[in-house]
Amino acid sequence: MNAAMTRREFAALAGAVVLASPASAQTGEFMTRAIPGSGERLPAVGLGTAYVFDRNDETTRQKAAAVVQALVGGGGSLIDTSSAYGDAEAVLGEVIAAAALRDKLFIATKLESPDAAELKRSQTRLKTENLDLLQLHNVRDPQQSLAQFRKWKEQGVCRYIGITSTRHGDFPAVEAILQRDKPDFVQIDYSVDDREAEKRILPLAAEMKCGVLTALPFGRGRLFRAVHGKELPDWAKAFAGSWAQFFLKYLLGDPRVTAVIPGTADPAHMTDNLGAMRGPLPDADQRRRMAEFVASL
Ligand SMILES: NC(=O)c1ccc[n+]([C@@H]2O[C@H](COP(=O)([O-])OP(=O)(O)OC[C@H]3O[C@@H](n4cnc5c(N)ncnc54)[C@H](OP(=O)(O)O)[C@@H]3O)[C@@H](O)[C@H]2O)c1
């Protein structure tokens, strides 16, 4: 809950999401959320791949293979990558093909522009013709159009289209494109200590029936540094088994969030993060307490 949303509105929205998609609540084995535009369910914790798989060498491929196995083994399926993340697409393509895991994964990548050659390069590196989600990376101009992405979607190149941004100065462009092009997903930075997206992007995404992926859920590791050497408070142990789950469950406690995509090169961290898909979520009062706690560090 935030300044722009009263407790009643939050409860109504949470109820609406649960009613529209019973498995989107924290019931069942692990948490899935409905993609607003289609109703398809997505496991609520995925894998981000910025920085972690930049070099296509044996050590990186082994790390990536272990992390992807941990993702799938723990009930996850969403991998977020980009044509601009060094060799990450190529590393993932090799690892996924070697383990024959393509059908178990929801692959989201990003292009810098609606360019056919860049698309072809991503498809080749990822070793798949059919992407699940194709996103326009770091939108910054309100005039940027998703027309070509929509054509590709109609041709079956991808099942969903989206936009991304983690620069608050570019939020006006995000808002303009959300309203005009109505993408299936928006990927935005959102963490318990950086909640700008709650004010403007999350409400608009809900209105546009647009799924939300949260980039930088740990603030690139900033949150772990803030709690270094500190125990989880007792009141948080009812819903979180680790600091990672505390930070991720804050985000998943907002029903407008479709999935979180923490980045990791460590399979044990992947498993820890997937734990945020299990057990209860914090309610609105607990979420307020979590934000106050982090702000006081
Ligand atoms: N504009 C955009 O489109 C955009 C911009 C930024 C990010 N993104 C996406 O968002 C994803 C997430 O962002 P990010 O990876 O930069 O930052 P992040 O997820 O906020 O933080 C990643 C850091 O957290 C650590 N970590 C992960 N799980 C942990 C755990 N359970 N316990 C302790 N430490 C843990 C990682 O280290 P270890 O490797 O040691 O686990 C890494 O140092 C990216 O990977 C990318 O896919 C998109």
Side-chain angles (χ1 to χ4, degrees):
M1 198 173 67
N2 58 80
M5 195 196 288
T6 65
R7 191 175 311 182
R8 182 172 299 178
E9 285 165 346
F10 182 92
L13 181 56
V17 170
V18 170
L19 279 178
S21 169
S24 72
Q26 57 272 33
T27 53
E29 204 195 331
F30 58 83
M31 191 192 310
T32 59
R33 290 267 161 94
I35 298 171
S38 69
E40 176 184 350
R41 291 198 168 88
L42 200 53
V45 176
L47 166 67
T49 64
Y51 308 110
V52 284
F53 306 137
D54 279 2
R55 288 165 58 96
N56 191 1
D57 56 27
E58 187 54 30
T59 310
T60 309
R61 285 193 295 274
Q62 280 178 8
K63 265 197 272 183
V67 171
V68 172
Q69 288 289 357
L71 172 75
V72 174
S77 67
L78 167 61
I79 298 181
D80 178 71
T81 189
S82 165
S83 65
Y85 292 171
D87 291 337
E89 286 184 327
V91 169
L92 290 165
E94 291 191 29
V95 159
I96 292 165
L101 283 174
R102 173 66 190 97
D103 292 348
K104 291 195 173 354
L105 293 169
F106 185 103
I107 298 183
T109 196
K110 314 183 191 82
L111 302 184
E112 299 304 301
S113 63
D115 174 57
E118 192 185 351
L119 169 67
K120 185 77 204 151
R121 175 174 174 264
S122 289
Q123 289 171 310
T124 304
R125 298 204 312 170
L126 285 163
K127 297 190 191 296
T128 185
E129 290 294 307
N130 309 107
L131 299 161
D132 294 294
L133 168 60
L134 191 61
Q135 303 158 107
L136 186 55
H137 198 191
N138 287 334
V139 296
R140 60 194 76 82
D141 176 352
Q143 297 310 318
Q144 277 175 284
S145 165
L146 285 180
Q148 182 59 52
F149 277 49
R150 200 165 285 288
K151 269 190 209 152
W152 283 331
K153 179 178 165 179
E154 284 160 13
Q155 292 163 5
V157 167
C158 56
R159 299 195 300 124
Y160 300 101
I161 59 174
I163 56 173
T164 82
S165 175
T166 55
R167 295 177 194 145
H168 298 175
D170 291 333
F171 278 8
V174 173
E175 291 165 326
I177 299 169
L178 273 179
Q179 278 169 316
R180 192 190 56 235
D181 283 335
K182 299 184 175 49
D184 301 300
F185 280 95
V186 60
Q187 182 181 144
I188 209 80
D189 61 311
Y190 182 31
S191 56
V192 62
D193 69 340
D194 183 352
R195 293 176 284 127
E196 184 67 16
E198 286 178 350
K199 293 188 194 134
R200 39 204 296 195
I201 306 300
L202 296 186
L204 183 57
E207 193 186 325
M208 297 290 127
K209 299 194 171 19
C210 176
V212 174
L213 305 181
T214 69
L216 304 178
F218 303 137
R220 288 210 175 90
R222 178 180 67 236
L223 284 169
F224 291 110
R225 292 188 287 280
V227 296
H228 184 70
K230 289 188 165 49
E231 282 264 322
L232 264 184
D234 282 342
W235 52 265
K237 289 181 182 162
F239 56 83
S242 66
W243 280 116
Q245 292 169 20
F246 178 101
F247 302 137
L248 296 178
K249 282 197 171 185
Y250 176 83
L251 304 176
L252 293 173
D254 188 319
R256 299 169 296 190
V257 170
T258 311
V260 295
I261 47 168
T264 185
D266 181 334
H269 285 172
M270 185 73 254
T271 301
D272 181 17
N273 297 341
L274 289 163
M277 292 201 294
R278 294 166 208 279
L281 284 172
D283 63 21
D285 288 334
Q286 288 169 316
R287 290 183 83 236
R288 190 177 321 101
R289 194 170 183 184
M290 294 166 88
E292 284 167 5
F293 174 85
V294 170
S296 75
L297 291 171

